[in-house]
Amino acid sequence: MTLPFATVALDPGPTRTAECLLPAVGSSVRGARALVRRELVRWGTDGLVDDCSLIVSELVSNVIRHAGTAFALRLCSNGRWVYGEIFDTGEGVPCQREPDLDSTDGRGLLIVGSLSDDWGVVQSLRGGKIVWFILGTGYGDRPLAPRPHAVVG
């Protein structure tokens, strides 16, 4: 019997998880980065700390600036890759922009897209949204899933 799709060996699911709830204030960016550094080093994924810290910094800054609500940060890992998500109850969906050369902002999601293996936005059934990312999978050239951020609803 021939399957109509390629079979891929699956990585084991996450075995480590860290979560925190933070307010929409500037110091939460520093708190989120501290959580990333502490947990990723503890999990043995030290090589992903810098990229993950920058991704989280950009996403948290977006929540503070655009949603203005408290948010939840969750990180998961199996020791090789890191999956992260940020949930907030704010309206709207992040949209990647094409800033001109003189712009002083608008590059956050470009940074997230260039550092992560994949990322996206999912509307939450409870209201708000979840912005997720994954890195360390080795599939940076091949998105793992359709890029939901390309379609703005």
Side-chain angles (χ1 to χ4, degrees), residues 33-89:
R33 278 194 312 257
L35 175 76
V36 167
R37 182 166 300 285
R38 180 179 66 245
E39 296 301 322
L40 270 58
V41 167
R42 194 167 64 88
W43 297 342
T45 51
D46 308 46
L48 301 175
V49 167
D50 291 339
D51 287 349
C52 190
S53 293
L54 186 51
I55 290 168
V56 166
S57 293
E58 293 297 336
L59 296 178
V60 167
S61 295
N62 280 351
V63 170
I64 294 167
R65 181 174 184 187
H66 300 289
T69 67
F71 60 94
L73 167 62
R74 175 184 296 167
L75 300 171
C76 303
S77 178
N78 71 350
R80 287 190 299 263
W81 48 258
V82 172
Y83 168 83
E85 62 184 31
I86 296 177
F87 167 76
D88 72 76
T89 57

Side-chain angles (χ1 to χ4, degrees), residues 104-120:
T104 59
D105 65 354
R107 292 178 176 81
L109 295 180
L110 292 171
I111 293 169
V112 171
S114 67
L115 294 177
S116 65
D117 294 338
D118 200 13
W119 75 279

